[in-house]
């Protein structure tokens, strides 16, 4: 573990000695780091309630002796792995919810297979999510449920809520959910209709390969990878830092394919035409009007979000028709907002305060 | 990291600060460059090349496996499509059967109808049958020495839905 160098009168000599100790530890730990396998993640006990294709609806085993009446359904993004919300014991958003007394379900979309290339936004908002909501109601025995959506999962939850205003949704919380795609400056530039032939990409590749998704996210902060490697070396003596680094690094690199038709739709109808912001998105002949969302609504954004910038997320709360609605801007980035030590101090308690009084 | 309370200077603090500043500056500089139309064009060209390369590789591989009398990727995808269609039809049949058997019954009420020693849902239903008085029922359970036999056994997987937020 780290050498202790905390006394106020630490001399320069002792400081240098501590740095030398750390340098030695870096080498020892560095060898361990290279030879170590992937850290285990997503360990909170859960049971599958329903599966369909790659979709699995899980119910997490309760950790409290009594739970709130209204179950919570987590809707994950299509472009990342679900275990970001269940990193490790003590750093798991799901574990936190369970300990606070929520009955937690989660939709894990799984890894899209080649035959899933036809899936579109309407399949998620009008078929899969309503199907899972019905399963949650049946399994829990409760007539309503709360939804929490992260990133694109938030967008899917919003689409669902707007298209099912009569229920059974009771509360909707979204984290870093984009609605105004004009605010995603870099993504818009890279998918400029004059140069980016999305039809050819989808028609040729089917699903968008995970390496392309990974590269596009990495390009948003091109220097971050090198800097994080330097920080890793600097903190190699610190087991906590290394453990946390490995978890986040594994999750970031563990990208999944993006269903082809959904990608085409996202680029054309959201990036190019910004239809969601204009309330002009039409799914299976039904217009998505966010003003039809009337359930209690919370939107939490991250101050330093480079993937879903504030400009692309800030209008959501204004577009929603709920009387009981609010948004929050918390310190952190796109991922650190929901996972890690900062999230456990900032976002999680805020969400609990908001949701608990609406879950009875 | 360096101890902030120390009176002696951290020999690496300046270097760490430099790393952070450099990262910010490089990100800002490269983001600016990547927000230009020229970069957008280059992304488009890259994607064209990438797709063309993938396609030519797939074609070559397809010809190769066909020559070996093996199923090509397109054959496997076609099978996957057919399986997916079967799954969807099964899901549809399942939904219709559920609709035919009436509206989905909550587990609680179903559990009431069932009997036998394992009745976690029934227990939950019993506890939640008086939704306006969950606190009261809890108080009764905790305050009085009620006979154990009359207390419903709580299934840890299905705890009662009686929790209230602090202060309410």
């Amino acid at each position: 573990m780290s050498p202790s160098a905390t006394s106020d009168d630490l001399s320069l000599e002792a400081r240098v000695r501590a740095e030398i100790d750390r340098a030695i530890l870096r080498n020892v730990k560095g060898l361990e780091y290279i030879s170590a396998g992937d850290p285990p993640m997503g360990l909170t006990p859960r049971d599958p309630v329903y599966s369909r294709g790659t979709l699995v609806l899980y119910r997490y085993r309760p950790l409290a002796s009594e739970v709130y009446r209204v179950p919570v359904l987590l809707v994950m993004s299509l472009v990342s792995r679900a275990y970001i919300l269940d990193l490790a014991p003590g750093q798991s958003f799901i574990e936190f919810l369970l300990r606070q007394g929520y009955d937690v379900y989660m939709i894990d979309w799984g890894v899209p297979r080649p035959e899933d290339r036809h899936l579109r936004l309407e399949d998620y908002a009008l078929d899969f999510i309503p199907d899972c909501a019905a399963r949650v109601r049946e399994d829990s025995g409760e007539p309503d449920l709360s939804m929490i959506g992260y990133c694109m999962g938030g967008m899917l939850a919003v689409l669902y809520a707007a298209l099912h205003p009569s229920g059974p949704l009771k509360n909707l919380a979204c984290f870093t959910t984009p609605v105004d795609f004009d605010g995603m400056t870099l993504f818009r530039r890279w998918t400029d209709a004059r140069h980016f032939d999305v039809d050819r990409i989808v028609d040729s590749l089917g699903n968008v390969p995970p390496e392309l998704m990974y590269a596009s996210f990495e390009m948003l902060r091109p220097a971050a990878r090198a800097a994080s490697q330097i920080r890793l070396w600097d903190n190699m003596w610190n087991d906590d830092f290394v453990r946390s680094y490995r978890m986040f690094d594994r999750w970031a690199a563990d990208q999944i394919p993006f269903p082809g038709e959904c990608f085409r739709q996202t680029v054309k109808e959201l990036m190019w035409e910004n239809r969601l912001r204009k309330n002009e998105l039409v799914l299976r002949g039904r217009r998505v009007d966010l003003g039809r969302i009337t359930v209690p609504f919370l939107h939490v954004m991250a101050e330093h979000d480079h993937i879903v910038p504030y400009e692309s997320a800030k209008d959501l709360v204004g577009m929603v028709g709920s009387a009981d609605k609010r948004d929050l801007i918390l310190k952190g980035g796109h991922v650190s907002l929901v996972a890690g030590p900062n999230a456990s101090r900032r976002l999680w308690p805020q969400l609990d305060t908001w949701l608990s009084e609406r879950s009875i | 990291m360096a101890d902030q309370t120390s009176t002696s200077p951290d020999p690496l603090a300046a270097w760490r600060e430099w790393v952070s500043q450099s990262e910010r500056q490089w990100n800002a500089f490269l983001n600016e460059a990547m927000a230009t139309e020229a970069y957008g064009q280059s992304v488009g060209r890259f994607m064209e090349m990438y797709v063309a390369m993938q396609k030519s590789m797939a074609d070559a591989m397809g010809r190769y496996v066909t020559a070996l009398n093996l199923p090509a990727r397109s054959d496997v995808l076609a099978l996957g499509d057919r399986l997916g269609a079967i799954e969807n039809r099964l899901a549809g049949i399942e939904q219709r059967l559920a609709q035919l058997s009436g509206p989905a019954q909550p587990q609680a009420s179903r559990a009431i109808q069932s009997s036998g020693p394992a009745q976690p849902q029934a227990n939950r239903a019993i506890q939640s049958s008086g939704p306006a008085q969950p606190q009261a029922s809890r108080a009764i359970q905790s305050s009085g020495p009620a006979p154990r036999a009359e207390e419903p056994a709580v299934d840890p997987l299905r705890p009662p839905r009686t929790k209230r937020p602090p202060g309410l």
Side-chain angles (χ1 to χ4, degrees):
Chain A
M1 276 307 287
S2 65
S4 63
T6 56
S7 65
D8 286 341
D9 57 347
L10 190 66
S11 67
L12 182 60
E13 183 188 343
R15 174 77 80 173
V16 170
R17 189 176 298 132
E19 287 299 333
I20 291 169
D21 287 344
R22 285 180 181 181
I24 294 167
L25 275 172
R26 279 187 195 106
N27 289 315
V28 174
K29 301 278 183 185
L31 286 174
E32 286 175 16
Y33 178 82
I34 292 167
S35 59
D38 285 336
M41 290 152 79
L43 296 176
T44 306
R46 61 186 184 176
D47 300 296
V49 172
Y50 172 62
S51 67
R52 177 176 170 187
T54 61
L55 178 162
V56 183
L57 173 67
Y58 290 102
R59 177 177 184 264
Y60 285 85
R61 294 184 188 168
L63 295 175
S65 56
E66 59 176 351
V67 296
Y68 291 110
R69 183 189 66 77
V70 182
V72 177
L73 175 60
L74 303 177
V75 182
M76 289 308 301
S77 170
L78 296 178
V79 295
S80 56
R81 296 278 200 171
Y83 59 74
I84 187 62
L85 298 186
D86 188 21
L87 275 186
Q91 288 194 47
S92 162
F93 175 59
I94 288 171
E95 184 193 38
F96 170 81
L97 288 177
L98 294 169
R99 290 203 186 283
Q100 295 306 114
Y102 295 95
D103 189 12
V104 181
Y105 294 80
M106 184 182 72
I107 302 176
D108 184 349
W109 303 114
V111 181
R113 298 184 292 222
E115 60 266 28
D116 293 328
R117 64 192 180 280
H118 303 301
L119 294 178
R120 295 171 56 84
L121 290 174
E122 38 268 65
D123 292 307
Y124 295 93
L126 290 169
D127 189 357
F128 298 147
I129 296 179
D131 194 8
C132 288
R135 307 281 170 170
V136 170
R137 292 172 66 197
E138 188 182 3
D139 186 71
S140 67
E142 293 299 329
D144 47 15
L145 71 155
S146 301
M147 261 185 209
I148 299 176
Y150 172 46
C151 186
M152 195 179 181
M155 193 184 81
L156 295 176
V158 161
L159 297 179
Y160 163 81
L163 293 168
H164 300 80
S166 56
L169 194 59
K170 188 173 189 301
N171 306 295
L172 175 57
C174 295
F175 304 153
T176 66
T177 295
V179 66
D180 182 358
F181 287 76
D182 283 350
M184 304 182 96
T185 321
L186 286 174
F187 278 134
R188 271 180 62 83
R189 177 62 76 187
W190 300 342
T191 57
D192 189 323
R194 290 169 296 175
H195 317 299
F196 191 80
D197 191 349
V198 66
D199 288 329
R200 188 166 177 221
I201 292 168
V202 173
D203 292 342
S204 303
L205 301 178
N207 294 333
V208 180
E211 59 269 20
L212 282 183
M213 301 302 299
Y214 180 66
S216 66
F217 289 129
E218 287 279 294
M219 278 203 302
L220 292 171
R221 283 203 175 157
R225 163 87 15 203
S228 68
Q229 295 281 340
I230 293 170
R231 284 195 197 96
L232 172 64
W233 174 82
D234 185 27
N235 289 282
M236 193 62 88
W237 54 271
N238 183 338
D239 285 343
D240 289 340
F241 183 94
V242 172
R243 180 168 162 263
S244 179
Y245 178 92
R246 288 179 63 209
M247 286 193 297
F248 282 106
D249 189 54
R250 181 195 157 190
W251 177 80
D254 195 7
Q255 290 290 324
I256 55 178
F258 195 164
E261 285 302 326
C262 200
F263 179 73
R264 192 197 312 259
Q265 202 176 10
T266 302
V267 169
K268 283 188 171 178
E269 298 183 28
L270 300 181
M271 285 284 177
W272 293 355
E273 298 171 10
N274 206 9
R275 286 193 188 180
L276 187 58
R277 177 65 187 88
K278 296 173 186 169
N279 271 333
E280 290 174 358
L281 183 66
V282 175
L283 302 179
R284 285 189 193 153
R286 297 167 63 183
R287 190 170 68 87
V288 178
D289 178 1
L290 301 192
R292 297 185 75 197
I293 299 175
T294 54
V295 297
F297 180 79
L298 173 71
H299 186 201
V300 189
M301 295 163 281
E303 198 175 306
H304 304 293
D305 194 332
H306 66 295
I307 294 176
V308 180
Y310 174 70
E311 290 71 29
S312 66
K314 64 180 166 53
D315 291 346
L316 179 55
V317 75
M319 295 175 69
V320 166
S322 312
D324 174 6
K325 61 181 178 180
R326 66 177 296 205
D327 59 3
L328 283 172
I329 307 168
L330 300 181
K331 281 189 181 296
H334 188 75
V335 181
S336 64
L337 179 78
V338 297
N342 289 335
S344 66
R345 287 193 298 268
R346 294 170 186 156
L347 172 68
W348 302 355
Q350 298 251 22
L351 175 84
D352 178 41
T353 304
W354 183 83
L355 191 57
S356 60
E357 61 191 40
R358 293 167 176 82
S359 295
I360 51 178
Chain B
M1 295 298 289
D3 176 17
Q4 299 299 313
T5 61
S6 172
T7 53
S8 62
D10 180 353
L12 294 178
W15 171 76
R16 291 190 185 102
E17 182 57 29
W18 176 81
V19 169
S20 295
Q21 276 192 4
S22 298
E23 181 191 5
R24 276 194 293 273
Q25 286 167 357
W26 275 106
N27 278 336
F29 171 73
L30 291 170
N31 280 169
E32 206 171 308
M34 287 190 293
T36 59
E37 186 169 344
Y39 190 84
Q41 271 180 329
S42 67
V43 169
R45 277 197 297 272
F46 168 80
M47 287 307 300
E48 275 180 28
M49 281 169 45
Y50 180 85
V51 167
M53 192 180 72
Q54 292 281 329
K55 191 169 184 320
S56 64
M57 278 176 63
D59 289 348
M61 191 60 74
R63 281 194 295 273
Y64 181 68
V65 293
T66 303
L68 291 174
N69 204 22
L70 292 170
R73 184 171 185 268
S74 56
D75 299 323
V76 178
L77 288 187
L79 271 177
D81 280 346
R82 292 177 67 183
L83 272 176
I86 292 169
E87 278 181 353
N88 286 341
R89 293 188 71 175
L90 277 175
I93 291 168
E94 231 179 25
Q95 274 183 346
R96 283 185 195 166
L97 280 174
Q99 284 165 1
L100 283 175
S101 63
Q105 282 182 303
Q107 295 249 344
S109 54
R110 276 185 292 158
I112 286 171
Q113 291 164 9
S114 67
S115 59
Q119 300 181 342
Q121 303 293 345
N123 298 334
R124 196 182 56 191
I126 289 166
Q127 293 202 358
S128 61
S129 62
Q133 345 162 333
Q135 300 284 19
S137 57
R138 265 184 11 230
I140 289 167
Q141 284 182 15
S142 59
S143 62
R148 299 288 298 176
E150 291 180 12
E151 285 183 10
V154 175
D155 178 357
L157 292 180
R158 298 284 178 183
R161 295 179 178 278
T162 51
K163 187 172 172 69
R164 317 278 299 181
L168 281 184

